[in-house]
mmCIF file of all heavy atoms in Angstrom:
data_model
loop_
_atom_site.group_PDB
_atom_site.id
_atom_site.type_symbol
_atom_site.label_atom_id
_atom_site.label_comp_id
_atom_site.label_asym_id
_atom_site.label_seq_id
_atom_site.Cartn_x
_atom_site.Cartn_y
_atom_site.Cartn_z
ATOM 1 N N TRP A 1 94.538 95.136 103.902
ATOM 2 C CA TRP A 1 95.433 96.120 104.506
ATOM 3 C C TRP A 1 96.841 95.933 103.919
ATOM 4 O O TRP A 1 97.702 95.257 104.462
ATOM 5 C CB TRP A 1 95.455 95.972 106.021
ATOM 6 C CG TRP A 1 96.281 97.012 106.714
ATOM 7 C CD1 TRP A 1 97.521 96.849 107.265
ATOM 8 C CD2 TRP A 1 95.937 98.388 106.907
ATOM 9 N NE1 TRP A 1 97.966 98.022 107.785
ATOM 10 C CE2 TRP A 1 97.015 98.997 107.587
ATOM 11 C CE3 TRP A 1 94.822 99.160 106.567
ATOM 12 C CZ2 TRP A 1 97.013 100.339 107.938
ATOM 13 C CZ3 TRP A 1 94.819 100.497 106.916
ATOM 14 C CH2 TRP A 1 95.902 101.080 107.597
ATOM 15 N N ASP A 2 97.054 96.578 102.790
ATOM 16 C CA ASP A 2 98.294 96.399 102.045
ATOM 17 C C ASP A 2 98.509 97.648 101.196
ATOM 18 O O ASP A 2 97.590 98.090 100.493
ATOM 19 C CB ASP A 2 98.196 95.169 101.139
ATOM 20 C CG ASP A 2 99.393 95.005 100.244
ATOM 21 O OD1 ASP A 2 100.417 94.481 100.726
ATOM 22 O OD2 ASP A 2 99.320 95.430 99.064
ATOM 23 N N PRO A 3 99.686 98.252 101.213
ATOM 24 C CA PRO A 3 99.882 99.512 100.480
ATOM 25 C C PRO A 3 99.713 99.363 98.977
ATOM 26 O O PRO A 3 99.195 100.275 98.318
ATOM 27 C CB PRO A 3 101.306 99.922 100.860
ATOM 28 C CG PRO A 3 101.978 98.674 101.334
ATOM 29 C CD PRO A 3 100.901 97.861 101.972
ATOM 30 N N ASP A 4 100.146 98.248 98.411
ATOM 31 C CA ASP A 4 100.000 98.057 96.972
ATOM 32 C C ASP A 4 98.531 97.950 96.578
ATOM 33 O O ASP A 4 98.117 98.495 95.545
ATOM 34 C CB ASP A 4 100.758 96.811 96.521
ATOM 35 C CG ASP A 4 102.266 96.950 96.672
ATOM 36 O OD1 ASP A 4 102.757 98.112 96.660
ATOM 37 O OD2 ASP A 4 102.951 95.923 96.810
ATOM 38 N N ALA A 5 97.739 97.250 97.403
ATOM 39 C CA ALA A 5 96.315 97.106 97.109
ATOM 40 C C ALA A 5 95.616 98.463 97.202
ATOM 41 O O ALA A 5 94.795 98.820 96.342
ATOM 42 C CB ALA A 5 95.677 96.112 98.078
ATOM 43 N N PHE A 6 95.931 99.237 98.237
ATOM 44 C CA PHE A 6 95.320 100.558 98.378
ATOM 45 C C PHE A 6 95.707 101.465 97.213
ATOM 46 O O PHE A 6 94.864 102.160 96.640
ATOM 47 C CB PHE A 6 95.747 101.199 99.710
ATOM 48 C CG PHE A 6 94.839 100.873 100.859
ATOM 49 C CD1 PHE A 6 94.592 99.561 101.243
ATOM 50 C CD2 PHE A 6 94.229 101.882 101.582
ATOM 51 C CE1 PHE A 6 93.774 99.262 102.303
ATOM 52 C CE2 PHE A 6 93.398 101.600 102.659
ATOM 53 C CZ PHE A 6 93.163 100.274 103.015
ATOM 54 N N ARG A 7 96.983 101.456 96.857
ATOM 55 C CA ARG A 7 97.422 102.326 95.763
ATOM 56 C C ARG A 7 96.741 101.936 94.454
ATOM 57 O O ARG A 7 96.348 102.811 93.673
ATOM 58 C CB ARG A 7 98.942 102.259 95.614
ATOM 59 C CG ARG A 7 99.467 103.141 94.493
ATOM 60 C CD ARG A 7 100.965 103.351 94.576
ATOM 61 N NE ARG A 7 101.458 104.172 93.488
ATOM 62 C CZ ARG A 7 102.609 104.822 93.497
ATOM 63 N NH1 ARG A 7 103.403 104.751 94.568
ATOM 64 N NH2 ARG A 7 103.009 105.553 92.470
ATOM 65 N N LYS A 8 96.576 100.657 94.220
ATOM 66 C CA LYS A 8 95.960 100.199 92.974
ATOM 67 C C LYS A 8 94.517 100.677 92.867
ATOM 68 O O LYS A 8 94.109 101.246 91.847
ATOM 69 C CB LYS A 8 96.013 98.669 92.891
ATOM 70 C CG LYS A 8 95.366 98.072 91.645
ATOM 71 C CD LYS A 8 95.547 96.551 91.622
ATOM 72 C CE LYS A 8 95.006 95.958 90.334
ATOM 73 N NZ LYS A 8 93.538 96.080 90.238
ATOM 74 N N VAL A 9 93.707 100.472 93.925
ATOM 75 C CA VAL A 9 92.296 100.840 93.823
ATOM 76 C C VAL A 9 92.125 102.365 93.780
ATOM 77 O O VAL A 9 91.247 102.874 93.075
ATOM 78 C CB VAL A 9 91.455 100.221 94.959
ATOM 79 C CG1 VAL A 9 91.521 98.699 94.900
ATOM 80 C CG2 VAL A 9 91.856 100.727 96.322
ATOM 81 N N ILE A 10 92.961 103.096 94.499
ATOM 82 C CA ILE A 10 92.871 104.562 94.463
ATOM 83 C C ILE A 10 93.242 105.073 93.073
ATOM 84 O O ILE A 10 92.562 105.941 92.511
ATOM 85 C CB ILE A 10 93.760 105.179 95.551
ATOM 86 C CG1 ILE A 10 93.206 104.846 96.952
ATOM 87 C CG2 ILE A 10 93.875 106.693 95.366
ATOM 88 C CD1 ILE A 10 94.159 105.181 98.094
ATOM 89 N N SER A 11 94.298 104.531 92.498
ATOM 90 C CA SER A 11 94.730 104.983 91.172
ATOM 91 C C SER A 11 93.680 104.679 90.113
ATOM 92 O O SER A 11 93.407 105.516 89.234
ATOM 93 C CB SER A 11 96.065 104.316 90.800
ATOM 94 O OG SER A 11 97.099 104.716 91.675
ATOM 95 N N GLU A 12 93.084 103.491 90.180
ATOM 96 C CA GLU A 12 92.050 103.139 89.207
ATOM 97 C C GLU A 12 90.842 104.056 89.334
ATOM 98 O O GLU A 12 90.263 104.489 88.329
ATOM 99 C CB GLU A 12 91.638 101.683 89.386
ATOM 100 C CG GLU A 12 92.693 100.690 88.939
ATOM 101 C CD GLU A 12 92.294 99.248 89.204
ATOM 102 O OE1 GLU A 12 91.276 99.034 89.913
ATOM 103 O OE2 GLU A 12 92.987 98.337 88.721
ATOM 104 N N ALA A 13 90.462 104.360 90.567
ATOM 105 C CA ALA A 13 89.322 105.258 90.767
ATOM 106 C C ALA A 13 89.614 106.643 90.219
ATOM 107 O O ALA A 13 88.774 107.260 89.545
ATOM 108 C CB ALA A 13 88.965 105.330 92.246
ATOM 109 N N MET A 14 90.814 107.160 90.492
ATOM 110 C CA MET A 14 91.158 108.496 90.020
ATOM 111 C C MET A 14 91.217 108.550 88.500
ATOM 112 O O MET A 14 90.844 109.541 87.880
ATOM 113 C CB MET A 14 92.495 108.930 90.620
ATOM 114 C CG MET A 14 92.470 109.135 92.127
ATOM 115 S SD MET A 14 91.252 110.370 92.652
ATOM 116 C CE MET A 14 91.839 111.815 91.787
ATOM 117 N N GLN A 15 91.655 107.486 87.900
ATOM 118 C CA GLN A 15 91.760 107.463 86.440
ATOM 119 C C GLN A 15 90.401 107.312 85.777
ATOM 120 O O GLN A 15 90.054 108.054 84.848
ATOM 121 C CB GLN A 15 92.670 106.315 85.999
ATOM 122 C CG GLN A 15 92.723 106.117 84.488
ATOM 123 C CD GLN A 15 93.607 104.954 84.093
ATOM 124 O OE1 GLN A 15 94.680 104.757 84.673
ATOM 125 N NE2 GLN A 15 93.181 104.172 83.117
ATOM 126 N N ASP A 16 89.603 106.344 86.236
ATOM 127 C CA ASP A 16 88.377 105.990 85.520
ATOM 128 C C ASP A 16 87.165 106.788 85.963
ATOM 129 O O ASP A 16 86.323 107.168 85.141
ATOM 130 C CB ASP A 16 88.092 104.493 85.688
ATOM 131 C CG ASP A 16 89.154 103.626 85.026
ATOM 132 O OD1 ASP A 16 89.663 104.048 83.972
ATOM 133 O OD2 ASP A 16 89.474 102.557 85.558
ATOM 134 N N ILE A 17 87.027 107.034 87.269
ATOM 135 C CA ILE A 17 85.827 107.697 87.777
ATOM 136 C C ILE A 17 85.982 109.207 87.718
ATOM 137 O O ILE A 17 85.145 109.913 87.152
ATOM 138 C CB ILE A 17 85.514 107.233 89.206
ATOM 139 C CG1 ILE A 17 85.246 105.709 89.212
ATOM 140 C CG2 ILE A 17 84.318 107.995 89.765
ATOM 141 C CD1 ILE A 17 85.169 105.116 90.582
ATOM 142 N N ALA A 18 87.068 109.718 88.276
ATOM 143 C CA ALA A 18 87.268 111.162 88.238
ATOM 144 C C ALA A 18 87.392 111.659 86.799
ATOM 145 O O ALA A 18 87.081 112.815 86.505
ATOM 146 C CB ALA A 18 88.507 111.551 89.046
ATOM 147 N N GLY A 19 87.802 110.781 85.901
ATOM 148 C CA GLY A 19 87.914 111.158 84.503
ATOM 149 C C GLY A 19 86.586 111.461 83.839
ATOM 150 O O GLY A 19 86.553 112.057 82.751
ATOM 151 N N THR A 20 85.459 111.088 84.457
ATOM 152 C CA THR A 20 84.145 111.383 83.880
ATOM 153 C C THR A 20 83.706 112.813 84.163
ATOM 154 O O THR A 20 82.718 113.282 83.602
ATOM 155 C CB THR A 20 83.072 110.445 84.467
ATOM 156 O OG1 THR A 20 82.906 110.738 85.867
ATOM 157 C CG2 THR A 20 83.444 108.979 84.278
ATOM 158 N N GLY A 21 84.403 113.494 85.045
ATOM 159 C CA GLY A 21 83.968 114.810 85.490
ATOM 160 C C GLY A 21 83.295 114.769 86.846
ATOM 161 O O GLY A 21 83.043 115.812 87.460
ATOM 162 N N SER A 22 82.990 113.560 87.338
ATOM 163 C CA SER A 22 82.468 113.404 88.691
ATOM 164 C C SER A 22 83.645 113.372 89.656
ATOM 165 O O SER A 22 84.801 113.576 89.262
ATOM 166 C CB SER A 22 81.646 112.117 88.792
ATOM 167 O OG SER A 22 81.148 111.948 90.107
ATOM 168 N N THR A 23 83.370 113.129 90.915
ATOM 169 C CA THR A 23 84.421 112.884 91.895
ATOM 170 C C THR A 23 84.185 111.512 92.507
ATOM 171 O O THR A 23 83.067 111.002 92.526
ATOM 172 C CB THR A 23 84.417 113.944 93.002
ATOM 173 O OG1 THR A 23 83.109 114.014 93.593
ATOM 174 C CG2 THR A 23 84.801 115.303 92.455
ATOM 175 N N VAL A 24 85.250 110.895 93.002
ATOM 176 C CA VAL A 24 85.130 109.578 93.614
ATOM 177 C C VAL A 24 84.412 109.707 94.950
ATOM 178 O O VAL A 24 84.593 110.678 95.687
ATOM 179 C CB VAL A 24 86.515 108.936 93.811
ATOM 180 C CG1 VAL A 24 86.363 107.503 94.328
ATOM 181 C CG2 VAL A 24 87.300 108.941 92.496
ATOM 182 N N THR A 25 83.570 108.715 95.263
ATOM 183 C CA THR A 25 82.815 108.690 96.511
ATOM 184 C C THR A 25 83.363 107.554 97.365
ATOM 185 O O THR A 25 83.071 106.387 97.124
ATOM 186 C CB THR A 25 81.319 108.498 96.220
ATOM 187 O OG1 THR A 25 80.891 109.506 95.305
ATOM 188 C CG2 THR A 25 80.497 108.586 97.491
ATOM 189 N N TRP A 26 84.178 107.913 98.358
ATOM 190 C CA TRP A 26 84.916 106.925 99.144
ATOM 191 C C TRP A 26 84.106 106.459 100.347
ATOM 192 O O TRP A 26 83.412 107.246 100.986
ATOM 193 C CB TRP A 26 86.233 107.522 99.638
ATOM 194 C CG TRP A 26 87.068 108.123 98.568
ATOM 195 C CD1 TRP A 26 87.183 109.456 98.266
ATOM 196 C CD2 TRP A 26 87.915 107.445 97.634
ATOM 197 N NE1 TRP A 26 88.043 109.653 97.214
ATOM 198 C CE2 TRP A 26 88.510 108.429 96.804
ATOM 199 C CE3 TRP A 26 88.231 106.106 97.422
ATOM 200 C CZ2 TRP A 26 89.409 108.119 95.786
ATOM 201 C CZ3 TRP A 26 89.125 105.778 96.404
ATOM 202 C CH2 TRP A 26 89.699 106.774 95.600
ATOM 203 N N VAL A 27 84.202 105.189 100.675
ATOM 204 C CA VAL A 27 83.563 104.628 101.862
ATOM 205 C C VAL A 27 84.484 103.591 102.484
ATOM 206 O O VAL A 27 85.200 102.873 101.785
ATOM 207 C CB VAL A 27 82.196 103.967 101.544
ATOM 208 C CG1 VAL A 27 81.168 105.010 101.176
ATOM 209 C CG2 VAL A 27 82.326 102.936 100.432
ATOM 210 N N LEU A 28 84.456 103.504 103.797
ATOM 211 C CA LEU A 28 85.142 102.440 104.526
ATOM 212 C C LEU A 28 84.158 101.507 105.213
ATOM 213 O O LEU A 28 84.545 100.430 105.665
ATOM 214 C CB LEU A 28 86.092 103.027 105.573
ATOM 215 C CG LEU A 28 87.368 103.683 105.042
ATOM 216 C CD1 LEU A 28 88.113 104.356 106.177
ATOM 217 C CD2 LEU A 28 88.265 102.659 104.341
ATOM 218 N N ASN A 29 82.887 101.923 105.289
ATOM 219 C CA ASN A 29 81.918 101.064 105.960
ATOM 220 C C ASN A 29 80.508 101.521 105.656
ATOM 221 O O ASN A 29 80.280 102.629 105.181
ATOM 222 C CB ASN A 29 82.142 101.062 107.477
ATOM 223 C CG ASN A 29 81.835 99.709 108.079
ATOM 224 O OD1 ASN A 29 80.732 99.205 107.937
ATOM 225 N ND2 ASN A 29 82.809 99.115 108.724
ATOM 226 N N ASN A 30 79.531 100.644 105.959
ATOM 227 C CA ASN A 30 78.112 100.991 105.916
ATOM 228 C C ASN A 30 77.352 99.933 106.715
ATOM 229 O O ASN A 30 77.959 99.081 107.387
ATOM 230 C CB ASN A 30 77.593 101.111 104.471
ATOM 231 C CG ASN A 30 77.734 99.828 103.670
ATOM 232 O OD1 ASN A 30 77.528 98.726 104.181
ATOM 233 N ND2 ASN A 30 78.084 99.953 102.392
ATOM 234 N N HIS A 31 76.038 99.960 106.627
ATOM 235 C CA HIS A 31 75.186 99.098 107.439
ATOM 236 C C HIS A 31 75.198 97.637 107.004
ATOM 237 O O HIS A 31 74.565 96.798 107.655
ATOM 238 C CB HIS A 31 73.747 99.617 107.394
ATOM 239 C CG HIS A 31 73.155 99.580 106.016
ATOM 240 N ND1 HIS A 31 73.596 100.382 104.996
ATOM 241 C CD2 HIS A 31 72.159 98.821 105.495
ATOM 242 C CE1 HIS A 31 72.903 100.121 103.907
ATOM 243 N NE2 HIS A 31 72.031 99.191 104.177
ATOM 244 N N ASP A 32 75.904 97.322 105.924
ATOM 245 C CA ASP A 32 75.979 95.942 105.424
ATOM 246 C C ASP A 32 77.336 95.298 105.656
ATOM 247 O O ASP A 32 77.548 94.152 105.243
ATOM 248 C CB ASP A 32 75.689 95.919 103.909
ATOM 249 C CG ASP A 32 74.237 96.195 103.580
ATOM 250 O OD1 ASP A 32 73.366 95.868 104.400
ATOM 251 O OD2 ASP A 32 73.974 96.753 102.497
ATOM 252 N N GLN A 33 78.270 96.005 106.279
ATOM 253 C CA GLN A 33 79.654 95.539 106.358
ATOM 254 C C GLN A 33 80.109 95.360 107.800
ATOM 255 O O GLN A 33 79.619 96.029 108.707
ATOM 256 C CB GLN A 33 80.579 96.555 105.670
ATOM 257 C CG GLN A 33 80.213 96.870 104.236
ATOM 258 C CD GLN A 33 80.365 95.690 103.305
ATOM 259 O OE1 GLN A 33 81.216 94.818 103.529
ATOM 260 N NE2 GLN A 33 79.571 95.640 102.244
ATOM 261 N N VAL A 34 81.083 94.472 107.981
ATOM 262 C CA VAL A 34 81.735 94.334 109.282
ATOM 263 C C VAL A 34 82.429 95.653 109.611
ATOM 264 O O VAL A 34 83.073 96.271 108.758
ATOM 265 C CB VAL A 34 82.754 93.188 109.260
ATOM 266 C CG1 VAL A 34 83.562 93.136 110.555
ATOM 267 C CG2 VAL A 34 82.042 91.859 109.014
ATOM 268 N N ARG A 35 82.294 96.107 110.836
ATOM 269 C CA ARG A 35 82.873 97.394 111.217
ATOM 270 C C ARG A 35 84.385 97.402 110.983
ATOM 271 O O ARG A 35 85.068 96.388 111.116
ATOM 272 C CB ARG A 35 82.545 97.718 112.668
ATOM 273 C CG ARG A 35 81.102 98.209 112.847
ATOM 274 C CD ARG A 35 80.944 98.986 114.121
ATOM 275 N NE ARG A 35 79.601 99.543 114.284
ATOM 276 C CZ ARG A 35 79.210 100.721 113.819
ATOM 277 N NH1 ARG A 35 80.070 101.473 113.140
ATOM 278 N NH2 ARG A 35 77.986 101.162 114.030
ATOM 279 N N THR A 36 84.897 98.602 110.668
ATOM 280 C CA THR A 36 86.269 98.738 110.208
ATOM 281 C C THR A 36 87.273 98.256 111.244
ATOM 282 O O THR A 36 88.249 97.582 110.903
ATOM 283 C CB THR A 36 86.550 100.213 109.849
ATOM 284 O OG1 THR A 36 85.492 100.694 109.021
ATOM 285 C CG2 THR A 36 87.853 100.340 109.099
ATOM 286 N N VAL A 37 87.071 98.600 112.504
ATOM 287 C CA VAL A 37 88.012 98.187 113.553
ATOM 288 C C VAL A 37 88.165 96.669 113.567
ATOM 289 O O VAL A 37 89.279 96.146 113.665
ATOM 290 C CB VAL A 37 87.526 98.704 114.923
ATOM 291 C CG1 VAL A 37 88.233 97.974 116.060
ATOM 292 C CG2 VAL A 37 87.762 100.196 115.036
ATOM 293 N N THR A 38 87.056 95.959 113.448
ATOM 294 C CA THR A 38 87.101 94.501 113.485
ATOM 295 C C THR A 38 87.627 93.939 112.175
ATOM 296 O O THR A 38 88.398 92.973 112.166
ATOM 297 C CB THR A 38 85.699 93.946 113.784
ATOM 298 O OG1 THR A 38 85.251 94.484 115.030
ATOM 299 C CG2 THR A 38 85.700 92.431 113.856
ATOM 300 N N ARG A 39 87.241 94.543 111.063
ATOM 301 C CA ARG A 39 87.677 94.037 109.762
ATOM 302 C C ARG A 39 89.189 94.121 109.616
ATOM 303 O O ARG A 39 89.823 93.256 109.007
ATOM 304 C CB ARG A 39 86.987 94.840 108.656
ATOM 305 C CG ARG A 39 87.039 94.201 107.287
ATOM 306 C CD ARG A 39 86.189 94.935 106.279
ATOM 307 N NE ARG A 39 86.743 96.232 105.900
ATOM 308 C CZ ARG A 39 86.169 97.398 106.132
ATOM 309 N NH1 ARG A 39 85.006 97.468 106.767
ATOM 310 N NH2 ARG A 39 86.732 98.529 105.742
ATOM 311 N N TYR A 40 89.792 95.150 110.191
ATOM 312 C CA TYR A 40 91.236 95.322 110.082
ATOM 313 C C TYR A 40 92.005 94.613 111.198
ATOM 314 O O TYR A 40 93.240 94.595 111.172
ATOM 315 C CB TYR A 40 91.594 96.806 110.117
ATOM 316 C CG TYR A 40 91.290 97.566 108.852
ATOM 317 C CD1 TYR A 40 90.965 98.914 108.913
ATOM 318 C CD2 TYR A 40 91.336 96.959 107.600
ATOM 319 C CE1 TYR A 40 90.689 99.645 107.760
ATOM 320 C CE2 TYR A 40 91.058 97.674 106.448
ATOM 321 C CZ TYR A 40 90.734 99.017 106.528
ATOM 322 O OH TYR A 40 90.465 99.732 105.395
ATOM 323 N N GLY A 41 91.308 94.080 112.186
ATOM 324 C CA GLY A 41 91.984 93.439 113.303
ATOM 325 C C GLY A 41 92.232 91.969 113.052
ATOM 326 O O GLY A 41 91.543 91.312 112.270
ATOM 327 N N GLU A 42 93.193 91.386 113.747
ATOM 328 C CA GLU A 42 93.556 89.976 113.556
ATOM 329 C C GLU A 42 93.736 89.248 114.894
ATOM 330 O O GLU A 42 94.865 88.924 115.273
ATOM 331 C CB GLU A 42 94.850 89.873 112.739
ATOM 332 C CG GLU A 42 94.773 90.460 111.369
ATOM 333 C CD GLU A 42 93.885 89.669 110.435
ATOM 334 O OE1 GLU A 42 93.588 88.488 110.726
ATOM 335 O OE2 GLU A 42 93.478 90.219 109.412
ATOM 336 N N PRO A 43 92.688 88.889 115.628
ATOM 337 C CA PRO A 43 91.311 89.340 115.448
ATOM 338 C C PRO A 43 91.076 90.568 116.325
ATOM 339 O O PRO A 43 91.969 90.994 117.054
ATOM 340 C CB PRO A 43 90.515 88.153 115.973
ATOM 341 C CG PRO A 43 91.370 87.629 117.096
ATOM 342 C CD PRO A 43 92.812 87.881 116.681
ATOM 343 N N ALA A 44 89.863 91.119 116.276
ATOM 344 C CA ALA A 44 89.503 92.215 117.177
ATOM 345 C C ALA A 44 88.050 92.049 117.557
ATOM 346 O O ALA A 44 87.180 92.090 116.718
ATOM 347 C CB ALA A 44 89.710 93.566 116.499
ATOM 348 N N THR A 45 87.775 91.819 118.832
ATOM 349 C CA THR A 45 86.397 91.685 119.283
ATOM 350 C C THR A 45 85.955 92.896 120.090
ATOM 351 O O THR A 45 84.763 93.144 120.224
ATOM 352 C CB THR A 45 86.226 90.434 120.158
ATOM 353 O OG1 THR A 45 87.128 90.515 121.268
ATOM 354 C CG2 THR A 45 86.505 89.184 119.351
#
C-alpha cells in the first residue's frame, strides 16, 4: 500500500502489456490469496 509502488506496476503494465494490443487484466484477489480487507489492514481480523 504505497503510491510509488502502485504507480510503478500500473505504468509497467500499460507500457508492456497494453502495448501488445491486448488490455491489462487487473485483479485484487482470488481464491488463493488473503482477502483484500485483511491484506491491507495492520492488522484486520
Side-chain angles (χ1 to χ4, degrees):
W1 184 255
D2 174 81
D4 293 335
F6 271 58
R7 180 165 179 160
K8 179 177 185 293
V9 299
I10 293 169
S11 296
E12 289 177 350
M14 293 302 300
Q15 174 181 319
D16 295 325
I17 299 170
T20 66
S22 179
T23 54
V24 185
T25 306
W26 307 101
V27 290
L28 287 173
N29 215 302
N30 60 39
H31 63 292
D32 289 330
Q33 305 294 330
V34 173
R35 283 201 176 272
T36 312
V37 164
T38 302
R39 196 172 71 244
Y40 285 150
E42 299 291 342
T45 57

